[in-house]
Amino acid sequence: MSTKQGYEVRDEVWNEVQRAMDCYAPFASAHEGYAVILEEVRELEAEVFKSPRRRSYQKMYTEARHVAAMAIRFMLDVDDKLCTSESVEDA
Protein backbone atom coordinates (compact mmCIF):
# COMPACT_ATOMS: atom_id res chain seq x y z
CA MET A 1 0.00 0.00 0.00
CA SER A 2 1.24 3.48 -0.86
CA THR A 3 2.18 5.84 1.93
CA LYS A 4 1.13 8.79 -0.23
CA GLN A 5 -2.37 9.90 -0.96
CA GLY A 6 -3.50 10.35 -4.56
CA TYR A 7 -3.69 14.11 -4.20
CA GLU A 8 -0.05 14.22 -3.05
CA VAL A 9 1.09 12.38 -6.17
CA ARG A 10 -1.13 14.62 -8.32
CA ASP A 11 0.42 17.71 -6.72
CA GLU A 12 3.95 16.41 -7.30
CA VAL A 13 3.17 15.81 -10.98
CA TRP A 14 1.58 19.24 -11.33
CA ASN A 15 4.61 20.88 -9.69
CA GLU A 16 6.79 19.11 -12.27
CA VAL A 17 4.55 20.39 -15.07
CA GLN A 18 4.79 23.93 -13.70
CA ARG A 19 8.58 23.67 -13.42
CA ALA A 20 8.83 22.52 -17.02
CA MET A 21 6.56 25.34 -18.20
CA ASP A 22 8.65 27.89 -16.28
CA CYS A 23 11.96 26.58 -17.66
CA TYR A 24 11.08 25.59 -21.23
CA ALA A 25 9.04 26.98 -24.09
CA PRO A 26 6.07 24.96 -25.37
CA PHE A 27 6.96 22.02 -27.56
CA ALA A 28 7.86 23.29 -31.03
CA SER A 29 5.99 20.40 -32.63
CA ALA A 30 4.08 17.24 -31.84
CA HIS A 31 7.21 15.31 -32.79
CA GLU A 32 9.26 17.15 -30.16
CA GLY A 33 6.63 16.51 -27.50
CA TYR A 34 6.51 12.84 -28.39
CA ALA A 35 10.32 12.63 -28.31
CA VAL A 36 10.45 14.17 -24.83
CA ILE A 37 7.82 11.76 -23.53
CA LEU A 38 9.63 8.82 -25.15
CA GLU A 39 12.93 9.92 -23.59
CA GLU A 40 11.30 9.95 -20.16
CA VAL A 41 9.73 6.54 -20.76
CA ARG A 42 13.12 5.15 -21.77
CA GLU A 43 14.70 6.54 -18.61
CA LEU A 44 11.97 4.82 -16.58
CA GLU A 45 12.46 1.64 -18.59
CA ALA A 46 16.21 1.68 -17.92
CA GLU A 47 15.57 1.73 -14.18
CA VAL A 48 12.76 -0.84 -14.27
CA PHE A 49 14.85 -3.31 -16.30
CA LYS A 50 17.75 -3.27 -13.84
CA SER A 51 18.13 -6.32 -11.68
CA PRO A 52 16.06 -6.03 -8.50
CA ARG A 53 19.22 -5.59 -6.42
CA ARG A 54 20.37 -2.56 -8.49
CA ARG A 55 17.00 -0.93 -9.09
CA SER A 56 16.07 2.23 -7.21
CA TYR A 57 12.42 2.66 -6.34
CA GLN A 58 13.07 6.38 -5.80
CA LYS A 59 14.45 6.70 -9.34
CA MET A 60 11.51 4.74 -10.76
CA TYR A 61 9.10 7.02 -8.90
CA THR A 62 10.90 10.13 -10.15
CA GLU A 63 10.97 8.92 -13.75
CA ALA A 64 7.28 7.94 -13.60
CA ARG A 65 6.54 11.46 -12.35
CA HIS A 66 8.50 12.88 -15.29
CA VAL A 67 6.54 10.70 -17.74
CA ALA A 68 3.23 11.87 -16.27
CA ALA A 69 4.30 15.51 -16.24
CA MET A 70 5.51 15.51 -19.83
CA ALA A 71 2.31 13.78 -20.98
CA ILE A 72 0.28 16.51 -19.29
CA ARG A 73 2.55 19.20 -20.75
CA PHE A 74 2.00 17.66 -24.19
CA MET A 75 -1.77 17.71 -23.64
CA LEU A 76 -1.67 21.36 -22.59
CA ASP A 77 0.43 22.35 -25.60
CA VAL A 78 -1.87 20.40 -27.95
CA ASP A 79 -4.91 22.01 -26.35
CA ASP A 80 -3.41 25.47 -26.94
CA LYS A 81 -2.99 24.59 -30.62
CA LEU A 82 -6.57 23.28 -30.82
CA CYS A 83 -7.81 26.61 -29.53
CA THR A 84 -5.71 28.70 -31.92
CA SER A 85 -5.73 26.76 -35.17
CA GLU A 86 -7.98 24.80 -37.44
CA SER A 87 -7.53 21.03 -37.35
CA VAL A 88 -6.94 19.03 -40.52
CA GLU A 89 -10.33 17.39 -40.07
CA ASP A 90 -12.02 20.80 -40.22
CA ALA A 91 -10.23 21.87 -43.41
Side-chain angles (χ1 to χ4, degrees):
M1 176 177 263
S2 176
T3 59
K4 292 190 178 192
Q5 299 294 317
Y7 67 88
E8 293 173 304
V9 173
R10 178 203 61 209
D11 290 348
E12 287 180 18
V13 171
W14 183 247
N15 288 338
E16 191 72 28
V17 171
Q18 290 289 64
R19 187 192 66 75
M21 290 169 61
D22 290 343
C23 293
Y24 305 102
F27 294 130
S29 68
H31 291 97
E32 180 189 16
Y34 173 78
V36 170
I37 294 169
L38 185 58
E39 177 185 355
E40 296 300 342
V41 168
R42 287 182 174 156
E43 290 172 2
L44 175 59
E45 177 184 64
E47 195 62 35
V48 168
F49 287 178
K50 287 181 180 177
S51 68
R53 298 167 102 187
R54 294 187 56 230
R55 156 185 322 151
S56 165
Y57 287 95
Q58 180 60 49
K59 287 181 183 174
M60 287 190 291
Y61 183 90
T62 298
E63 293 305 334
R65 184 179 70 233
H66 292 169
V67 170
M70 290 306 97
I72 291 169
R73 174 69 190 267
F74 183 86
M75 292 170 67
L76 292 170
D77 288 354
V78 166
D79 186 61
D80 282 348
K81 295 216 185 324
L82 284 172
C83 293
T84 59
S85 68
E86 194 174 305
S87 73
V88 173
E89 294 173 4
D90 294 337

